[in-house]
Amino acid sequence: MILIIGGAHQGKSLYAEQYREQGYELINAYHEIIREQLEQGLAPQKEAERLLAERTDSMEKLVIISNEVGYGLVPMDAFQRQYREQVGRVHCYLAKEADQVIRVVCGIGMELK
């Protein structure tokens, strides 16, 4: 599995297209999936674990693309703080499980792992 992270509008999706051409499945905007899970009362960490467990045979051909949301001001709204924290925690889990982690800034991918 490859995890591609970066700020909003930094070229992550365009960067990830090279992997689609190589037969990888892309899951885009994973940070929004985390938001939806929280709104539904689900535990995003457990859902990420379930996602990877269900894909044991196809995980090597998977790319997860997600925004980094933990920079800047801490939100005053409790849900927004919880969302920000959960995105960070899920990113840590996915990065640990990933074969490769790439941070994209200005369309340039930098391999972190």
Side-chain angles (χ1 to χ4, degrees):
M1 184 259 294
I2 299 171
L3 175 63
I4 297 178
I5 58 170
H9 312 291
Q10 290 294 312
K12 296 178 301 297
S13 298
L14 186 60
Y15 183 88
E17 282 302 316
Q18 65 184 304
Y19 294 101
R20 183 189 310 276
E21 295 166 5
Q22 298 172 24
Y24 283 77
E25 177 187 350
L26 305 184
I27 298 178
N28 203 352
Y30 197 77
H31 61 286
E32 291 298 333
I33 293 171
I34 294 170
R35 178 186 301 277
E36 292 169 9
Q37 291 168 345
L38 284 171
E39 289 170 346
Q40 296 170 12
L42 300 172
Q45 174 85 28
K46 297 243 184 260
E47 294 302 316
E49 292 169 4
R50 184 184 343 263
L51 171 71
L52 297 187
E54 290 172 354
R55 299 178 160 275
T56 52
D57 48 339
S58 64
M59 199 166 98
E60 63 192 35
K61 285 290 199 176
L62 177 65
V63 176
I64 298 176
I65 307 159
S66 190
N67 280 9
E68 295 175 307
V69 298
Y71 297 116
L73 299 174
V74 176
M76 291 183 66
D77 179 73
F79 178 82
Q80 293 298 327
R81 286 193 308 274
Q82 180 188 23
Y83 164 66
R84 174 182 144 133
E85 178 182 339
Q86 288 301 308
V87 169
R89 291 185 187 280
V90 170
H91 282 175
C92 289
Y93 168 74
L94 292 173
K96 183 182 78 163
E97 297 298 318
D99 298 312
Q100 189 176 16
V101 178
I102 301 168
R103 183 165 191 254
V104 176
V105 177
C106 300
I108 300 169
M110 297 171 283
E111 190 169 334
L112 302 177
K113 176 182 176 185

